[in-house]
Amino acid sequence: MSEIISPAEFVAVMQESFERGQELIFTPSGSSMFPMLDGKNDKVTFSQKPDKLKKYDVAFYVRRRTNQLVLHRMIGFTKDGAYIFSGDNQYDYEYGVGDDDVLALMTSFTHNGKTYRTSDLSYRFYIRRMMLKKRLRRFASMIYHKIFK
């Protein structure tokens, strides 16, 4: 059964699942992680967050200023050690996400009926290709704005 619940209820269910040693599976909405996730049919599996995220981990976190729940890829660290996040389908980066803001870590996902674990070699190749395309798109956008601004 599928139902829509409030963010606070979702976080409570997630934490309860992790306390029991379980993973949590849900269908995310939105297009910020496209093409990896289509936000309608794909499913994401979460586990309890580690002490520290690694570069390119996909994490579920809360934006403290809006209390919005977000699923994005961690792409780096700020000078003070906070995380930098961005969706695969976004140009902008989100700075200053702390360890306390991170709620869970994506361990696998199902896309077009096929399940991928984050430890799979094909997934790792996808990340490298996606990050290269993201840097090239960001650079091209910067050049475009300098020329036509």
Side-chain angles (χ1 to χ4, degrees):
M1 179 171 91
S2 169
E3 65 181 271
I4 297 175
I5 61 175
S6 74
E9 290 173 314
F10 182 81
V11 170
V13 168
M14 182 175 55
Q15 290 171 341
E16 189 177 306
S17 296
F18 294 158
E19 287 171 7
R20 287 193 226 140
Q22 300 172 328
E23 292 183 321
L24 182 71
I25 300 171
F26 92 110
T27 302
S29 63
S31 61
S32 65
M33 288 302 289
F34 186 80
M36 186 178 86
L37 300 170
D38 74 7
K40 293 179 185 152
N41 303 310
D42 295 343
K43 301 223 180 304
V44 176
T45 303
F46 289 122
S47 67
Q48 195 163 14
K49 71 175 184 168
D51 291 334
K52 200 75 174 157
L53 295 178
K54 294 180 289 197
K55 192 172 183 179
Y56 303 136
D57 280 346
V58 175
F60 192 58
Y61 64 95
V62 62
R63 282 188 183 132
R64 293 295 173 189
R65 63 183 184 276
T66 63
N67 282 330
Q68 182 180 17
L69 299 175
V70 182
L71 177 68
H72 280 167
R73 187 176 309 282
M74 197 278 283
I75 58 170
F77 300 92
T78 61
K79 289 179 183 174
D80 64 353
Y83 299 120
I84 303 169
F85 279 94
S86 184
D88 288 353
N89 194 30
Q90 294 183 319
Y91 296 108
D92 295 332
Y93 295 165
E94 185 169 357
Y95 296 88
V97 178
D99 279 319
D100 293 343
D101 301 326
V102 177
L103 303 170
L105 177 70
M106 183 186 81
T107 55
S108 66
F109 63 97
T110 302
H111 178 69
N112 292 333
K114 183 170 183 200
T115 300
Y116 301 89
R117 296 205 55 78
T118 56
S119 58
D120 291 345
L121 190 58
S122 62
Y123 175 74
R124 292 173 187 254
F125 281 129
Y126 166 81
I127 292 171
R128 299 295 182 210
R129 190 175 71 244
M130 180 57 64
M131 292 297 102
L132 177 61
K133 285 170 55 177
K134 187 178 199 72
R135 284 191 294 274
L136 290 172
R137 283 191 332 238
R138 194 171 162 100
F139 179 72
S141 176
M142 185 179 68
I143 297 296
Y144 176 83
H145 288 303
K146 285 192 182 280
I147 292 171
F148 295 106
K149 195 167 186 185

